[in-house]
Amino acid sequence: IGIISLVILCAGGYWVSRRIQPSPKQKMLFQGVEYIRDVRSSPRPMVIHIITVDLQVKGTRIQITPGDPDAELPLEARTTSEFLDDFGVQVAINGDGFTPWHSRGFFDYYPHSGDRVDVIGFAASEGVVYSQETDREPRLYFSPIHRARFNYPIGGEHNVISGNLMLVKNGKARRELDDSPDPRTAVALDQSNHRLMLLVIDGRQPGYSEGATLNELAEIIISHGGYTAMNLDGGGSSTMVVESNLGNANILNSPINNRIPGRERPIGNHLGIYAKPLP
């Protein structure tokens, strides 16, 4: 590890060790879009960020990062903040896992913003399919009129994003879920399929937020009204961003990339929401 990287890591560790968990919060951000910050101390420190989107509210639209289906690597990597700025959405989270990828230090990582990548699962944006499935990954479909279903092509393959596994089915957590606590990103629908939930849990930040297991993630989703849910890319990719009052990107969570709290990772694709301002 280089001297500069070591200094940055030490400074980041010092800052994290002295961070205080924020207070719980609940706030309407846009029409039909509500933010909840759920702060827990048991079974370990955990800061949970949830955005619920009423898909029936007029003016609410979905944006999946577009890609070039003719390219070997169809996407230019972007941070979630860059995605929000580039496409003018009001809400954004990270999406599917992607390749190629490595992280060996503060400077030695891939991709940087603008580097070419491919996502692991099936993906489509505005009817253009640019990635095929590799191992029967679950999918979230959005129709042209922005209705949503898991694993059912409602309205065809209009806007589609994939995850790596289903977390919740018919209001119940999958029994076989079990692993170590980590940063997490997930998407869920309520029983009516009218309310979309975007969820990010901060992790790898001792004393502030140490992450969740997949089973804990599923139970958190159920506790907030999720009936069906899918896991997205986590770890250093987990990021939730909203448009600020000034029109720029405001990061709601505490991403941790290259072991640096607050540092975003350039990733493959994203899930964005267009929403109307509050009256």
Side-chain angles (χ1 to χ4, degrees):
I1 188 168
I3 297 297
I4 295 176
S5 297
L6 182 61
V7 169
I8 292 170
L9 289 174
C10 289
Y14 180 86
W15 177 64
V16 168
S17 67
R18 281 153 179 77
R19 291 177 75 191
I20 298 173
Q21 284 188 305
S23 301
K25 186 175 184 179
Q26 187 166 358
K27 181 181 180 181
M28 293 300 297
L29 300 178
F30 307 98
Q31 291 184 35
V33 178
E34 183 179 36
Y35 170 63
I36 297 171
R37 185 166 61 211
D38 181 348
V39 182
R40 304 185 183 187
S41 57
S42 177
R44 71 192 67 83
M46 202 180 299
V47 181
I48 303 159
H49 308 268
I50 301 164
I51 285 180
T52 59
V53 181
D54 187 342
L55 296 173
Q56 294 187 303
V57 170
K58 187 176 181 180
T60 302
R61 297 187 292 119
I62 304 299
Q63 176 71 61
I64 304 297
T65 314
D68 180 359
D70 296 324
E72 181 179 358
L73 298 174
L75 292 156
E76 286 189 8
R78 296 177 175 89
T79 66
T80 307
S81 290
E82 288 170 337
F83 167 75
L84 184 138
D85 289 336
D86 288 348
F87 292 92
V89 297
Q90 280 62 62
V91 178
I93 59 170
N94 63 289
D96 194 3
F98 59 95
T99 185
W101 174 86
H102 72 257
S103 179
R104 303 188 185 103
F106 188 78
F107 298 110
D108 185 7
Y109 64 91
Y110 189 96
H112 294 73
S113 292
D115 289 337
R116 304 299 299 192
V117 295
D118 190 9
V119 288
I120 293 171
F122 186 92
S125 178
E126 302 295 318
V128 178
V129 175
Y130 59 84
S131 179
Q132 299 292 334
E133 70 177 8
T134 57
D135 191 24
R136 300 181 66 184
E137 294 87 0
R139 308 175 187 180
L140 176 57
Y141 290 87
F142 295 97
S143 76
I145 58 173
H146 312 294
R147 293 187 295 164
R149 295 289 189 280
F150 283 104
N151 301 314
Y152 180 75
I154 181 172
E157 295 168 343
H158 184 67
N159 280 318
V160 189
I161 197 163
S162 296
N164 56 10
L165 56 87
M166 296 301 295
L167 296 164
V168 178
K169 292 184 177 181
N170 299 321
K172 296 181 180 180
R174 288 181 54 180
R175 292 182 180 180
E176 65 268 27
L177 300 174
D178 190 25
D179 63 351
S180 61
D182 273 307
R184 302 290 181 185
T185 303
V187 285
L189 293 169
D190 69 356
Q191 190 167 1
S192 71
N193 293 312
H194 293 157
R195 191 170 295 273
L196 173 69
M197 179 190 301
L198 313 177
L199 186 142
V200 169
I201 301 178
D202 294 324
R204 301 176 185 168
Q205 299 169 66
Y208 178 78
S209 187
E210 298 174 16
T213 67
L214 289 172
N215 186 66
E216 290 164 350
L217 174 61
E219 293 298 339
I220 289 166
I221 289 168
I222 293 168
S223 73
H224 283 276
Y227 189 75
T228 314
M230 180 177 78
N231 192 54
L232 294 174
D233 193 19
S237 298
S238 289
T239 311
M240 177 179 284
V241 181
V242 300
E243 183 184 59
S244 74
N245 292 333
L246 299 176
N248 57 348
N250 176 31
I251 305 172
L252 290 183
N253 75 308
S254 180
I256 184 160
N257 184 30
N258 307 121
R259 304 182 188 177
I260 307 299
R263 190 181 198 200
E264 286 188 78
R265 172 181 289 169
I267 60 174
N269 66 359
H270 317 74
L271 169 57
I273 309 293
Y274 292 103
K276 297 285 189 180
L278 293 171

